[in-house]
């Protein structure tokens, strides 16, 4: 916890107007959640004593079993990171040609395709949920379409049934980028078992982390076996390579971080939910500022505090971000300007924006604010006061 250095009551109190910054140290959007250090260090000793550091060790095996049980799926294949997991899943599904994805996502979703010679085709989003719009997906289907990647953005489930219906109708494959959605539910069921597979990220800044890591989860036995081969150079036993592959293995130290953090993940989610409620209270009444909510029916990690600066706000989004940064509050413009507007995609699809009006609008509005177990109510109040002083 960082104690704010000042009260902010008006524009005169803002650092952009010459006042001292609110925080002496940067306040980042994501800070790693660290579980029980004693339990973690005990597992470290076990790993060092075993002298088994990688190559599908016992801790990785236990971690995979625990994640599969937690999500209610048959298979979890742990990986060194979420991007490699996505690349391997794409290759294991033999996707080719064109794959439809939202532009409003972290750029790795598109990179995982483009890196393998597959063309990402960007579909527009629902401006209310920020998730891919099934009607937009239908408009982008061509004879070259081999798959659809839905993204559970901000931990909210994508329109799963609608996307599955489109995939079935056109004979294409459906998978999900669930990097934001560990522990989220859809229809009361844990995300992880939808589509042909789902890809998780356990990066250090996620609500659940393994230092660095990811996984593919699926109920498809054959697909899981192929993915296990592919993450370890295609080896099936000693000196027996039966499939093309790469090195996507998770190491034992990452697995034990995951096992430790899994024990306290419910506490992290509860803390994030309290922070979200505190933001809702602190931001209430600030004209032109809307906090994205997740509802109470489904579970969500509440990891992302997403604010929209409305069109009728007195200042634009970028001015607010500049003011926050001046206070050492390193708010982010996720995922500005949209993947379609980043190199190399803006060169490949210079007119993509014409098909993505909702993405273009949302990209101009979003600010993601700090969250996590170390964030205090006083910090939340100060962050909100900065926004209020900018707007009023």
């Amino acid at each position: 916890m960082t104690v704010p250095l000042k009260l902010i009551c008006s524009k005169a109190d803002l650092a952009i107007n010459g006042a001292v910054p609110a925080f002496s140290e940067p306040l980042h959007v994501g800070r790693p959640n660290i579980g029980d250090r004693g339990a973690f260090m005990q597992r470290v000793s076990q790993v060092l004593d075993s002298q088994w550091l990688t190559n599908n060790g016992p801790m990785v095996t236990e971690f995979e079993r625990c994640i599969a049980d937690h999500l209610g799926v048959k298979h979890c294949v742990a990986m060194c990171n979420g991007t490699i997991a996505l690349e391997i899943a794409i290759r294991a599904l033999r996707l080719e040609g064109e794959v439809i994805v939202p532009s409003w996502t972290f750029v790795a979703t598109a990179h995982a395709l483009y890196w393998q010679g597959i063309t990402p085709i960007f579909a527009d989003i629902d401006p209310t949920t920020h998730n891919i719009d099934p009607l937009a997906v239908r408009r982008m289907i061509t004879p070259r379409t081999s798959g659809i990647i839905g993204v559970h953005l901000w931990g909210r489930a994508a329109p799963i049934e609608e996307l599955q219906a489109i995939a079935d109708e056109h004979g294409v494959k459906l998978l999900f980028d669930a990097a934001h959605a560990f522990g989220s539910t859809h229809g009361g069921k844990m995300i992880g078992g939808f589509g042909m597979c789902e890809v998780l990220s356990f990066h250090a800044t996620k609500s659940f982390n393994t230092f660095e890591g990811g996984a593919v989860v699926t109920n498809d036995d054959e697909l899981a076996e192929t993915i296990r081969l592919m993450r370890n150079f295609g080896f099936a036993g000693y000196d027996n390579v039966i499939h093309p592959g790469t090195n996507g293995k998770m190491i034992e130290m990452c697995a034990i971080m995951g096992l430790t953090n899994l024990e306290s993940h419910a506490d992290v989610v509860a803390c994030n939910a309290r922070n979200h409620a505190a933001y809702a209270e602190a931001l209430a009444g600030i004209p032109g500022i809307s906090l994205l909510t997740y509802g109470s029916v489904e579970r969500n990690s509440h990891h992302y505090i997403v604010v929209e600066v409305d069109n009728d706000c007195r200042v634009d989004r970028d001015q607010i971000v500049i003011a926050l940064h001046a206070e050492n509050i390193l708010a982010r413009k996720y995922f500005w300007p949209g993947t379609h507007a980043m190199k190399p995609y803006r060169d490949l699809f210079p007119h993509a924006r014409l098909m993505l009006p909702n993405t273009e609008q949302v990209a101009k509005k979003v600010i993601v604010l700090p969250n996590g177990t170390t964030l205090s109510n006083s910090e939340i109040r100060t962050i909100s006061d900065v926004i209020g002083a900018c707007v009023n």
Side-chain angles (χ1 to χ4, degrees), residues 46-190:
Q46 291 176 328
V47 170
L48 296 178
D49 289 343
S50 74
Q51 296 187 325
W52 196 339
L53 305 182
T54 187
N55 285 358
N56 201 34
M59 293 298 183
V60 166
T61 301
E62 181 183 354
F63 174 73
E64 290 178 331
R65 178 185 56 77
C66 288
I67 294 298
D69 289 347
H70 185 73
L71 300 182
V73 296
K74 292 174 68 175
H75 303 283
C76 169
V77 187
M79 303 276 186
C80 56
N81 60 61
T83 303
I84 291 293
L86 189 56
E87 290 174 359
I88 289 177
I90 289 165
R91 189 171 289 271
L93 289 171
R94 298 184 179 180
L95 299 184
E96 58 185 1
E98 299 175 351
V99 173
I100 298 171
V101 298
S103 172
W104 192 238
T105 180
F106 186 56
V107 70
T109 313
H111 278 353
L113 294 165
Y114 189 59
W115 191 257
Q116 301 183 77
I118 301 169
T119 303
I121 300 296
F122 299 115
D124 209 3
I125 59 172
D126 179 334
T128 303
T129 65
H130 296 185
N131 274 327
I132 196 168
D133 180 357
L135 293 178
V137 171
R138 286 189 176 276
R139 288 194 293 268
M140 307 312 288
I141 293 277
T142 76
R144 298 189 70 240
T145 304
S146 66
I148 301 166
I149 300 178
V151 179
H152 305 305
L153 203 70
W154 315 129
R156 190 201 314 271
I160 291 170
E161 287 78 16
E162 294 93 330
L163 294 177
Q164 189 65 64
I166 296 170
D168 293 343
E169 178 184 341
H170 291 275
V172 301
K173 296 170 181 176
L174 174 66
L175 68 153
F176 290 97
D177 180 339
H180 288 188
F182 183 80
S184 294
T185 62
H186 174 69
K189 179 181 176 182
M190 296 287 272

Side-chain angles (χ1 to χ4, degrees), residues 31-37 40-41 43-44 47 63 79-82 201-214 250-261:
R31 294 175 174 176
N33 295 309
I34 307 298
D36 186 320
R37 294 186 184 212
F40 173 73
M41 294 308 297
R43 289 183 169 116
V44 169
V47 170
F63 174 73
M79 303 276 186
C80 56
N81 60 61
S201 171
F202 306 136
H203 186 265
T205 56
K206 295 291 192 292
S207 65
F208 171 76
N209 80 84
T210 63
F211 291 135
E212 177 75 273
M250 176 180 279
I251 65 172
E252 291 287 270
M253 287 297 179
C254 290
I256 64 171
M257 186 62 168
L259 288 167
T260 303
N261 280 332

